[in-house]
Amino acid sequence: MSTMGRIGSYIGRGVRSVSGNLNPFGGAVDIIVVRQPDGSLKSSPWYVRFGKIQGVFKARENMVNVSVNGVEAGFRMNLDSRGQAYFLTERNMEDGYSLITRTSEQLATLNLKEGKNVVVFTCSKQQVDARIYLWRWDTNIVISDIDGTITRSDVLGQFMPLVGKDWSQTGVAHLLSAIKENGYQLLFLSARAISQAYLTRQFLFNLMQDGKGLPEGPVFTSPDGLFFSLYREVVKRAPQEFKIACLEEIKALFPSDRNPFYAGFGNRDTDELCYLKAEIPRGKIFTIDSKGQIVLNRHIDTKSYAGLHGRVNDMFPPISSVRRLQG
């Protein structure tokens, strides 16, 4: 067996051992819905994928049921031969033209509540879930990379939690919680594959440090399959390709005259590149190095997440004062 084959086998066994009813190599990316100034709604793409292992792709089982907060939605998704779910337009059913989002009117029928909503996708005996976050058009977003940023390393940060080892950066839960308490929304961004979305959410929101957990927020992973995502990050060393495109999709949900991205945390030069592309000022891009030190403007600015926590009201002032400055 090739090296990649062995890696795939180990990953598959690991996912099966912890994912319960969620089948391996399936998953769904979280969704952001933004309420516009006129009350209409815009949604990020609905990326949903089902695994092939349990034979879900029979012709009679190519429809995906959708429910939000336990209530069946008024629409379903179709499933292609690769296991990807999509919407068919009403006008183009014959030629198979597909969409991966919903109109404002369709989103309104979901009766979303402000903040987090749970969406479940079911096809045959397989089920995957995600979260839909309903935000206002004037939301200020703080982005955090995951591997090497919340975790202490890119690789071990993915696998050590699977065997019960805490591999998180000291103080990250307290810092991000303080940022959320000041009125900012957290967005977690990772080049991990869509099949790792469930485990990534489980890791993030079960993480506890001195009684403090990470604040909840949408988790955006690559919509691509496991091996292509690994190839892009490990072989091509170009995770920014996905991340830049993802942030552009999110920015497009907001009015064209404002940038929702306030700050970004990462651990690589590629993270800084992504945040600069998203028009985050250099003074709000925080890079944590291998020693757990924060680098700001390419200089050691403070010793750790804990050190930044002590300055949180200066670096992340309460959102009411930010809106006064913007207004």
Side-chain angles (χ1 to χ4, degrees):
M1 182 184 293
S2 68
T3 299
M4 288 299 290
R6 287 195 297 272
I7 292 173
S9 176
Y10 296 148
I11 292 172
R13 289 202 298 270
V15 172
R16 283 190 291 272
S17 68
V18 296
S19 62
N21 293 328
L22 296 170
N23 293 305
F25 308 118
V29 176
D30 286 345
I31 300 160
I32 294 175
V33 173
V34 176
R35 191 179 301 281
Q36 306 299 306
D38 64 2
S40 63
L41 302 172
K42 284 187 178 181
S43 167
S44 62
W46 294 45
Y47 293 119
V48 183
R49 191 182 189 103
F50 285 85
K52 299 181 180 180
I53 289 178
Q54 295 192 6
V56 73
F57 304 122
K58 298 176 182 178
R60 65 180 182 278
E61 297 173 344
N62 65 349
M63 299 300 296
V64 178
N65 293 316
V66 181
S67 66
V68 177
N69 296 329
V71 179
E72 289 291 326
F75 51 78
R76 295 191 294 176
M77 302 184 78
N78 287 68
L79 202 66
D80 69 17
S81 60
R82 299 168 296 174
Q84 295 179 344
Y86 61 95
F87 298 109
L88 283 176
T89 66
E90 294 178 359
R91 291 180 300 175
N92 298 303
M93 292 289 285
E94 291 184 1
D95 62 15
Y97 179 75
S98 63
L99 293 175
I100 49 176
T101 190
R102 298 279 74 185
T103 66
S104 176
E105 292 76 13
Q106 290 164 329
L107 293 169
T109 66
L110 300 177
N111 296 314
L112 299 172
K113 61 184 181 182
E114 295 288 334
K116 184 181 74 172
N117 302 264
V118 178
V119 58
V120 178
F121 305 94
T122 306
C123 184
S124 184
K125 297 180 180 179
Q126 288 201 51
Q127 177 178 299
V128 296
D129 65 63
R131 307 294 178 262
I132 302 176
Y133 286 83
L134 177 60
W135 289 346
R136 287 167 45 98
W137 65 271
D138 56 355
T139 294
N140 287 279
I141 302 171
V142 174
I143 309 163
S144 178
D145 174 55
I146 298 173
D147 298 312
T149 303
I150 291 175
T151 67
R152 283 185 276 153
S153 71
D154 287 293
V155 177
L156 291 178
Q158 295 194 44
F159 295 104
M160 296 303 282
L162 296 178
V163 294
K165 299 292 184 180
D166 180 11
W167 216 253
S168 59
Q169 297 276 11
T170 302
V172 65
H174 286 269
L175 173 61
L176 295 186
S177 293
I179 292 171
K180 180 70 176 282
E181 289 163 7
N182 276 1
Y184 300 83
Q185 296 293 346
L186 272 295
L187 186 154
F188 300 95
L189 182 62
S190 174
R192 296 181 184 189
I194 191 171
S195 58
Q196 296 171 281
Y198 171 78
L199 291 177
T200 301
R201 283 190 292 265
Q202 289 291 100
F203 161 69
L204 290 174
F205 305 130
N206 286 309
L207 175 64
M208 296 292 292
Q209 294 181 333
D210 299 324
K212 179 70 73 173
L214 286 174
E216 290 196 337
V219 179
F220 278 78
T221 62
S222 167
D224 299 308
L226 180 63
F227 293 104
F228 183 81
S229 297
L230 282 172
Y231 172 79
R232 179 172 52 212
E233 183 164 19
V234 177
V235 180
K236 289 184 66 179
R237 298 184 179 275
Q240 71 274 13
E241 292 179 353
F242 150 69
K243 291 182 177 181
I244 290 172
C246 178
L247 294 179
E248 287 176 348
E249 288 178 338
I250 294 169
K251 188 176 181 180
L253 303 178
F254 292 82
S256 59
D257 60 351
R258 74 175 304 271
N259 184 6
F261 302 126
Y262 183 84
F265 290 85
N267 71 308
R268 294 183 179 182
D269 290 342
T270 53
D271 293 322
E272 181 181 18
L273 174 62
C274 294
Y275 300 154
L276 289 173
K277 286 282 189 180
E279 300 182 322
I280 296 175
R282 284 191 183 275
K284 295 296 184 183
I285 298 175
F286 303 88
T287 303
I288 188 162
D289 66 17
S290 58
K291 297 178 181 179
Q293 296 176 310
I294 298 290
V295 178
L296 183 63
N297 282 330
R298 301 188 181 275
H299 298 285
I300 301 296
D301 180 72
T302 188
K303 291 184 178 180
S304 64
Y305 281 137
L308 188 57
H309 184 211
R311 301 170 52 195
V312 70
N313 287 333
D314 295 326
M315 302 300 294
F316 300 90
I319 210 68
S320 57
S321 61
V322 173
R323 284 181 177 152
R324 282 198 299 270
L325 290 172
Q326 292 175 339

